[in-house]
Amino acid sequence: MITPERAMRAKAIQLGKLAVEATTSAGSGHPTTALSLAHLATVLMYRVMRWDPKHPDAPGADRLVLSEGHAVPIIYAACADLGVTILPGNHARPMTRDDLMALRSIASPIDGHPNPSLGFPFFDAATGSLGQGLSVAAGLGAAARLDALEKTIYCLIGDGESREGQIWEAMDFIADHRLGNVVAIFNCNTLGQSDFVSPAEDWQHLQRKAEAFGWTALVVDGHDPSAIETALRRRPPGSNGQPLAIIARTVKGWGVPSLGGPGHHGTPVPKSGLAAVLSELDKRAAEQGVANLDPAALAGALAIEPPLPAPASRPAGNPVGFLTALGADPKLAETVRSKRSMAPRRAYGLALQSLGAANPAVVALDADVKNSTHAQDFARAYPERYFEARIAEQNMISAAVGLASGRKIPFASTFGRFLERAFDQVEMGIIGGANLKLVGSHVGVTLASDGPSQMALADIAFMRTFAHVTDFRGNPALTVLTPSDAASTYSMVMAMAVFPSACYLRAVRADLPILYDETESFPFGGHKVLRRPAEGGKRIVLIAAGYLVHSCLKAADALKTQGITAGVVDAYALPLDAAPLLALAGPDGIILSVEDTYVGGLGSELAEAVGQTRAGPRLHVLAVHKVPKSGRTPDDVLAYVHLSVDEIVAAAAGVQ
Amino acid sequence: MITPERAMRAKAIQLGKLAVEATTSAGSGHPTTALSLAHLATVLMYRVMRWDPKHPDAPGADRLVLSEGHAVPIIYAACADLGVTILPGNHARPMTRDDLMALRSIASPIDGHPNPSLGFPFFDAATGSLGQGLSVAAGLGAAARLDALEKTIYCLIGDGESREGQIWEAMDFIADHRLGNVVAIFNCNTLGQSDFVSPAEDWQHLQRKAEAFGWTALVVDGHDPSAIETALRRRPPGSNGQPLAIIARTVKGWGVPSLGGPGHHGTPVPKSGLAAVLSELDKRAAEQGVANLDPAALAGALAIEPPLPAPASRPAGNPVGFLTALGADPKLAETVRSKRSMAPRRAYGLALQSLGAANPAVVALDADVKNSTHAQDFARAYPERYFEARIAEQNMISAAVGLASGRKIPFASTFGRFLERAFDQVEMGIIGGANLKLVGSHVGVTLASDGPSQMALADIAFMRTFAHVTDFRGNPALTVLTPSDAASTYSMVMAMAVFPSACYLRAVRADLPILYDETESFPFGGHKVLRRPAEGGKRIVLIAAGYLVHSCLKAADALKTQGITAGVVDAYALPLDAAPLLALAGPDGIILSVEDTYVGGLGSELAEAVGQTRAGPRLHVLAVHKVPKSGRTPDDVLAYVHLSVDEIVAAAAGVQ
């Protein structure tokens, strides 16, 4: 009869050995970090977590988020030992020891850092860029609470990693929303990559910080299975309460004196030294009286509790159309009717509220600008599905990743400019295949009065790159949308909600004339020809998105008086199918791309298409080439950056 | 005789009135936030700070960093009242009341948020995107200590703003480096933009958090000038010690009941209501017995202490060349000689160390990867000029902005991938004109084994946008450099140090063959033709940067065996002068852009040039179009993303 205590000690050493072997086999990786987690991983995966290795992503299963993703070999070792299901659909099969030893090889789903999209469903999100996991855990905890699932989300965080400010954004967020179903475990092994961690991240400071952030913080010996289990079981049941942080004091390279101290981070044991290291770990087993235990008895002593039953998700209905939604607010409807104009961001709020009514899976987050982005329309109607993220954009995005993994459709909004500080988090979401719905408001220079610190001018260059990356579903990894009126904004938000891959909507602040009927559809990859150029001769086509579509329409009117019939196109989506646009301009034509952002957006998209064609139109790009400043009106700032209607007209006439 | 106490109360109300008038004049802005800072700004600028309104940027002057940039009208009001010098060079003149009332107009340097590059030298850095100011203050404090200047850096932070994780990265950094010359002042007015701040950011929690982060934290009434002054003067002298945080309890919309409570953020008082608001503030003056004080007596009661004398900066010498630097490390020199190869990141460390020897203004920061980026070579040689930022990239970048403003040349390095989470901070540095030297290592897919969470693939798309923005000096706002060997890396790092605008160097991880002599120079905007294409006919030119330059050379060798003499170009710099490359390929030629990043980099740069020309070469872009994964060798991953030498050859032959 093996006690659970002895079984956990034996298993931890077995897993440690496997992790060391795997990294030696790979020729890279982080064996010493993995060894510091050997006992924590064992207690979680073999004793405390309620889950099923055959169905690692069962909705009712407890979850483990490995924020310090480089420690993943210890988790892979457990998954190989337990035969956890890997690979999707028909390819699904139990993970083997051979899979483990194929760590980091090009044909293997056992990647260098956690990534569910490669076929490793035990994980909910890609990690590896540090500081993001606790936010993902928060999103998973929020999703579980909405589904009344009494599961627990465990998150393993490195001590050096806890220097990332995002960790503290997540600590605040979890405390704010009383996500008592999230447990943060700090792995205090005292060593970073290049040195010992700062005293500011030692176990005493981490305990004080966690308490100051409103958490219960327990310090344990991270290599004492019983102490770890006791601490973890002190979490009060229920998903609504004060969160628990475990400060685990551990040893990097545990069990192997030759791997202790600085200088061993991310360094696999050479093949020549492997036997010695493994025998050191065998010695630890012998010293603890857990060497050569009977495998069957060991397995019996470590029975894993099954996941909780999970209700089916509630079905979604059909959201109402733009005019119906508008009609629900008679005052707004009247204003729109009389002015024939409305701000795209206002239409976003209206659309989000309609989605909320139709689909219980739709949730929203915003970073204390909900009255500007109009996410507040949703927040007021569905407060239980709205998560105020406060002024902390990185946590908001990673929390949205967790909500998406928790079977929700998360719309996360703030000024497009402020999403820039979360681009790492956006990319990690894309790497893991998270179905994110991002909304950036106040894009372009027409924000005017607040100045460049609030204007999204480089967001499109970064986001567009992912429009040309194919995700594991076969879709563009990110679809970028810049609507030019309220009706198209509303329609695109509806389309975002049902599209199975990530999207980014760029919502203009200003009131814009309404161009489209509510019946118009806006397929991703498409565009709208608002004016056709004169046939034959040297055609000219003005292409823009958002605010500048209206400037181009005015410019076309002015060109008409000069006898030039220019085409005008609303290029609302990236990626853009450019072929029809090249045909519209014709072989001798000229395309004028007009954009109130820095280069890297629409103009680059068109240039990449035009540059390939020998017999095709030429392209001229009008974009922003200086840092803007405050102006009291959009026209003031557009003139400052040389994008006034007059300058568009002059450019068009000039290239004619 | 007016006591300082009464004078400060009177002045605070005067400034508050001016701030309200200015935002009404602008028709936008944040009068209520400004009023919450009226007394804090007055005590700092009229009483505690040692500075000279005629020379607001004197090196020996105490500094004020307004992290909550939207509160700037109260600072502008003080600057107009004191006639602080604005505008550069010959245009320099004292700020007037008219300047203040021109707030946010297109022709005015009095922008919506602080921006020194527009001609407002009182500020050291652009702020407005929240959470960054304390890091800037840390950089200024570090620079002052290096110069043995006993000045103090004050930083005003909003309570809601303190939700940004970067604030806590900065709190750790300042405590780590014992920057006792930095004083953090939290403006606890209890209101954010869309709601009350979270309890997690109330004054009690902020005090507990600051103490847990190792600071002394004093709570004061933020509208009691004497209490504020007493607290500020409790900072122990010297620039090396435990930092002081002031938790100031304030009232948003102080003095004007009708502006209190939620719903007044960022809302100017309408012209119709201005008189009533101003008379409310006059009532406060009367109640406090400070109405209608004699202006001369008031000015006399508020004499500002002058700045400290500052030593001239020490002159820079000439750094040694690549081979000399290499020679100083005989073992490394021998390896390089025998293998004829060296990693660009290794050459970066060598170059940085040489710069450190030659120029006392050169400083370095790294985010706990200094043994990977090789910033450790500098850290070991010049520990007093190296600032370990730990795993906190946002703080590192904004601290570099502060160091640059403090007359240093800061090289900040980490994996290029991890800079993505600091793109907001990079852009704020660029907006303010900070002379940043950014270094991103491990760029491209050839990092291989660690996988996509560590590979910089979208960095170039974002950074390139700023290569096409002209900064206030007339330079590209950011020059992006991707060297293909160690000698060119060394040379480019030398050039970065003397170039007066921001640069971003992308350093490959892998050992690369050495292509260049140490005498070769690499002018920004230039390129190197390594192979000329065969004259006449349908020429083909392969263009790449970094690792893939070597793949293209191999591809050219293989094409030669097929009778195709392809050109090969090392396009190491963005912006790129493309005209010579178009000429090299000729009107009937083909340019093949080969890049191991997502789209938005070199290929877009070339496309924008090619797309304009009617009689010119065509362009084909080979880039990364799927999310990579781990592979055990660079070749494995290059093949996975279809960038093997064979595929380059096939593409080249195919378009021939």
Side-chain angles (χ1 to χ4, degrees), chain A residues 230-251:
Chain A
T230 305
L232 287 171
R233 297 208 186 273
R234 278 187 50 191
R235 181 179 97 69
S239 60
N240 202 330
Q242 185 183 34
L244 173 67
I246 307 288
I247 316 292
R249 301 185 60 184
T250 63
V251 176

Side-chain angles (χ1 to χ4, degrees), chain A residues 130 164-165 169 172 176 193-194 196 198 201 368 372 390 393-394 420-421 427 468 604 608 625, chain B residues 130 164-165 169 172 176 193-194 196 198 201 368 372 390 393-394 420-421 427 468 604 608 625:
Chain A
L130 295 172
E164 289 286 8
E169 294 176 356
D172 266 348
D176 264 3
Q193 171 177 319
S194 72
F196 285 95
S198 160
E201 279 71 50
D368 192 30
S372 294
R390 309 286 179 175
E393 297 75 13
Q394 298 194 328
E420 284 182 16
R421 72 197 301 145
E427 183 166 354
H468 297 277
S604 304
E608 288 156 18
H625 290 286
Chain B
L130 295 171
E164 289 285 8
E169 294 177 356
D172 266 350
D176 264 3
Q193 172 178 321
S194 70
F196 285 96
S198 160
E201 279 71 50
D368 192 31
S372 294
R390 308 287 180 175
E393 297 75 14
Q394 298 194 325
E420 285 182 17
R421 72 196 302 144
E427 183 165 355
H468 296 276
S604 305
E608 288 156 18
H625 290 285

Side-chain angles (χ1 to χ4, degrees), chain A residues 326-340:
Chain A
L326 201 54
D329 183 341
K331 192 154 154 292
L332 175 65
E334 183 42 45
T335 317
V336 172
R337 235 191 313 280
S338 57
K339 290 167 54 187
R340 288 294 303 156

Side-chain angles (χ1 to χ4, degrees), chain A residues 25-26 28 30 101-106 108 111-113 118 127-130 132 160-161 163-166 169 172-173 176 192-198 200-201 205 208-209 212-213 368-372 388-394 417-418 420-421 423-425 427-428 431 449-454 458 461-462 464-466 468-470 587-590 598-600 604 607-608 610-614 616 618-619 625-627 629-632 636-637 640, chain B residues 25-26 28 30 101-106 108 111-113 118 127-130 132 160-161 163-166 169 172-173 176 192-198 200-201 205 208-209 212-213 368-372 388-394 417-418 420-421 423-425 427-428 431 449-454 458 461-462 464-466 468-470 587-590 598-600 604 607-608 610-614 616 618-619 625-627 629-632 636-637 640:
Chain A
S25 166
S28 69
H30 301 75
M101 296 307 152
L103 172 69
R104 296 182 167 218
S105 59
I106 196 73
S108 166
D111 223 50
H113 292 79
L118 290 169
T127 54
S129 180
L130 295 172
Q132 303 179 32
E161 176 186 18
R163 182 69 166 240
E164 289 286 8
Q166 186 182 352
E169 294 176 356
D172 266 348
F173 181 85
D176 264 3
Q193 171 177 319
S194 72
D195 200 352
F196 285 95
V197 300
S198 160
E201 279 71 50
H205 277 88
R208 268 183 242 130
K209 289 175 176 179
F213 277 69
D368 192 30
V369 290
K370 57 182 177 292
N371 53 333
S372 294
E388 177 55 60
R390 309 286 179 175
I391 307 172
E393 297 75 13
Q394 298 194 328
R417 176 67 183 75
F418 305 147
E420 284 182 16
R421 72 197 301 145
F423 279 173
D424 179 359
Q425 289 74 7
E427 183 166 354
M428 288 308 297
I431 289 171
S449 61
D450 283 326
S453 67
Q454 322 285 302
F462 179 82
R464 187 183 77 90
T465 61
F466 297 98
H468 297 277
V469 175
T470 302
D588 306 320
I590 287 161
Y598 297 140
V599 300
S604 304
E608 288 156 18
V610 169
Q612 287 180 42
T613 63
R614 204 168 281 287
R618 299 301 81 214
L619 173 72
H625 290 286
K626 66 202 256 199
V627 178
K629 66 175 300 303
S630 294
R632 291 185 176 178
D636 286 348
V637 184
Y640 182 81
Chain B
S25 165
S28 69
H30 300 75
M101 297 306 152
L103 173 69
R104 295 182 167 216
S105 58
I106 197 73
S108 166
D111 223 50
H113 292 79
L118 290 170
T127 53
S129 180
L130 295 171
Q132 303 179 33
E161 177 187 17
R163 183 68 167 242
E164 289 285 8
Q166 186 182 350
E169 294 177 356
D172 266 350
F173 182 86
D176 264 3
Q193 172 178 321
S194 70
D195 200 352
F196 285 96
V197 301
S198 160
E201 279 71 50
H205 279 88
R208 267 183 243 131
K209 289 176 176 179
F213 276 70
D368 192 31
V369 291
K370 57 181 176 293
N371 53 332
S372 294
E388 177 55 59
R390 308 287 180 175
I391 308 172
E393 297 75 14
Q394 298 194 325
R417 175 69 182 75
F418 306 147
E420 285 182 17
R421 72 196 302 144
F423 279 173
D424 179 358
Q425 288 74 8
E427 183 165 355
M428 289 309 296
I431 289 171
S449 61
D450 283 326
S453 67
Q454 322 285 302
F462 179 82
R464 187 183 76 91
T465 61
F466 297 98
H468 296 276
V469 175
T470 302
D588 306 321
I590 286 161
Y598 297 140
V599 301
S604 305
E608 288 156 18
V610 168
Q612 288 181 42
T613 63
R614 203 166 283 283
R618 298 301 83 214
L619 172 72
H625 290 285
K626 67 203 258 200
V627 178
K629 66 175 300 304
S630 294
R632 290 185 177 179
D636 287 348
V637 184
Y640 182 80

